[in-house]
Amino acid sequence: MPVNIDRVSLLELFKKEHLVLEKSDGIRYLLFDNSRKILLIDRKSKPNVIFLNESISANFQDFLDGELTFNPILEKYYYLIYDTGIIKGDWRISSWDLYSRFRAVENFLISFYDKTKTDQIFLIKKLFFYKYSLKKLLEAISLNSYTKEHLFINIGINCSFHCNKNDGIIFSPLRANYSLRTTCTTYKWKYEFENTMDLLIRRTIPKNLSKKEIQIPFNLALSLNKTKLFKIYEAKRLTFFFKGKNSTLNGFKNIGEFRYIQRKGSWVLKKHRFDKTKPNSFRVLTNTLKIISESLNKLEIVDAILKFQTRQERGKCCIKY
């Protein structure tokens, strides 16, 4: 998982080579393929079979990392692959650099569609760009004026068509092994109002509801450690009930993705996260508030990268880079 980029970690992009990928707004899944069936594993470690072929006798293991996205133009779901750990049972691929792993994914997709003999494309490889092409990547991202959502649209690059919701950019290190843990070398940048937190919504419904409308208190909490929750926000919401309806004491818990509105000083629900069971930690909260206060916009980050590229080509980079 990538970490938020700030002005201090911006210098780390100059020290090492990174590949740039658009950050798709989808649901994270791990994909396992044993030639007979393909499974998608969600955050709750629940397997979902999406492809089954009992006629194939080979038993090669494949492990891919990506997310499930929706193409609003074709109105289809796609699984975007942006990394891999095992292909045809060879786990040594996880020690290759990122560019070589992308090439291995391309060969996997060619053999996969040749083996399954299907015209329904579901697995596609994510596009990557070099840092000096960051401006070109941002030009392919447009803003939907009606829904206020960003869309990444690509037509023709690598003979493929990509269209999905976008909420930022990912800088992935080129010379780094594949890791299942969060690393400090993979960075993500989000738009100004897309820096969000996954918080736990806790609400208690009292007994003997006799009024037509009541105010039910609820609070937002995050994980301080493995056993304790830290409440960061408390408010009351107006909820309607039918008169005379009785209910037992019910503790409502759900994970929601919230964005922080600075001018109001409150959290606003963006969407419910049914794929997650735990909220973010207190460390993620402090880091997110720091990123919001710094307000690193896309013009500044593009300008910094292009200036460094010019200095590097002219041989004027100092020792700290």
Side-chain angles (χ1 to χ4, degrees):
M1 298 296 293
V3 296
N4 289 320
I5 186 172
D6 53 11
R7 301 184 188 277
V8 177
S9 58
L10 184 61
L11 297 176
E12 296 294 330
L13 295 180
F14 306 145
K15 297 179 180 179
K16 298 180 180 180
E17 186 64 33
H18 286 72
L19 296 181
V20 184
L21 303 91
E22 59 91 17
K23 189 178 185 303
S24 305
D25 187 10
I27 303 176
R28 182 74 177 270
Y29 284 101
L30 297 179
L31 186 142
F32 287 88
D33 175 28
N34 64 353
S35 298
R36 294 187 178 182
K37 59 182 178 181
I38 295 180
L39 303 173
L40 287 181
I41 312 296
D42 57 13
R43 293 177 182 268
K44 301 177 183 179
S45 300
K46 180 181 178 181
N48 302 279
V49 179
I50 62 173
F51 180 78
L52 187 63
N53 193 350
E54 298 292 346
S55 62
I56 299 178
S57 59
N59 192 19
F60 293 116
Q61 300 292 331
D62 298 310
F63 165 67
L64 304 173
D65 194 350
E67 56 188 348
L68 188 66
T69 60
F70 181 73
N71 190 320
I73 296 180
L74 300 179
E75 297 183 350
K76 293 181 179 180
Y77 283 95
Y78 291 97
Y79 183 79
L80 285 179
I81 305 170
Y82 52 77
D83 213 335
T84 181
I86 302 174
I87 289 184
K88 293 185 178 180
D90 190 358
W91 55 268
R92 294 173 296 180
I93 293 180
S94 60
S95 63
W96 295 359
D97 60 274
L98 183 59
Y99 180 79
S100 300
R101 295 201 298 269
F102 270 117
R103 296 299 300 270
V105 170
E106 292 179 357
N107 296 331
F108 166 78
L109 293 178
I110 293 175
S111 62
F112 171 77
Y113 287 111
D114 181 67
K115 177 179 61 177
T116 55
K117 305 295 183 181
T118 179
D119 296 331
Q120 298 294 330
I121 298 178
F122 176 71
L123 306 177
I124 58 177
K125 185 180 73 70
K126 203 163 189 173
L127 295 177
F128 68 90
F129 299 81
Y130 294 99
K131 285 189 296 185
Y132 56 81
S133 302
L134 177 60
K135 188 175 181 180
K136 181 180 179 181
L137 170 61
L138 292 173
E139 291 175 352
I141 301 174
S142 59
L143 178 64
N144 190 331
S145 58
Y146 179 73
T147 60
K148 303 301 180 181
E149 295 176 335
H150 290 84
L151 291 177
F152 172 74
I153 302 177
N154 161 67
I155 300 177
I157 299 179
N158 293 346
C159 300
S160 60
F161 173 69
H162 294 73
C163 181
N164 51 263
K165 294 181 180 179
N166 174 270
D167 58 0
I169 300 172
I170 294 180
F171 298 90
S172 187
L174 178 61
R175 296 178 178 85
N177 301 339
Y178 175 78
S179 176
L180 288 173
R181 297 179 179 270
T182 300
T183 61
C184 298
T185 57
T186 304
Y187 302 100
K188 64 179 178 180
W189 173 85
K190 289 187 174 183
Y191 300 98
E192 182 180 0
F193 297 105
E194 294 295 336
N195 289 288
T196 57
M197 284 284 301
D198 295 331
L199 304 175
L200 176 65
I201 307 173
R202 304 181 66 185
R203 183 171 56 185
T204 302
I205 302 177
K207 298 179 179 179
N208 301 324
L209 300 178
S210 58
K211 297 182 180 181
K212 186 176 180 180
E213 55 186 24
I214 62 172
Q215 288 186 344
I216 296 180
F218 72 96
N219 56 72
L220 305 178
L222 52 82
S223 178
L224 191 61
N225 50 43
K226 293 183 179 181
T227 59
K228 186 177 180 181
L229 293 175
F230 180 73
K231 184 172 65 176
I232 64 170
Y233 188 81
E234 184 176 5
K236 292 184 178 181
R237 177 182 295 175
L238 191 65
T239 309
F240 294 92
F241 292 90
F242 292 103
K243 187 176 180 180
K245 181 180 178 181
N246 296 326
S247 63
T248 58
L249 187 64
N250 182 18
F252 175 80
K253 295 182 179 180
N254 199 356
I255 301 294
E257 184 176 349
F258 290 82
R259 58 164 62 102
Y260 184 73
I261 307 299
Q262 289 179 294
R263 65 176 181 271
K264 294 183 178 180
S266 61
W267 297 89
V268 177
L269 178 64
K270 179 183 177 182
K271 63 180 180 181
H272 287 280
R273 295 296 302 268
F274 299 102
D275 59 320
K276 297 192 68 175
T277 57
K278 296 181 181 179
N280 290 138
S281 63
F282 183 77
R283 179 181 58 83
V284 176
L285 172 65
T286 55
N287 187 28
T288 302
L289 294 178
K290 177 185 176 183
I291 297 299
I292 294 175
S293 62
E294 287 189 355
S295 181
L296 185 64
N297 56 40
K298 65 178 181 181
L299 295 178
E300 184 176 355
I301 195 171
V302 170
D303 181 69
I305 290 178
L306 293 181
K307 284 182 177 179
F308 169 76
Q309 184 69 22
T310 303
R311 291 196 302 267
Q312 189 179 37
E313 291 177 354
R314 296 177 180 177
K316 295 183 179 180
C317 292
C318 58
I319 300 177
K320 68 176 182 179
Y321 296 135

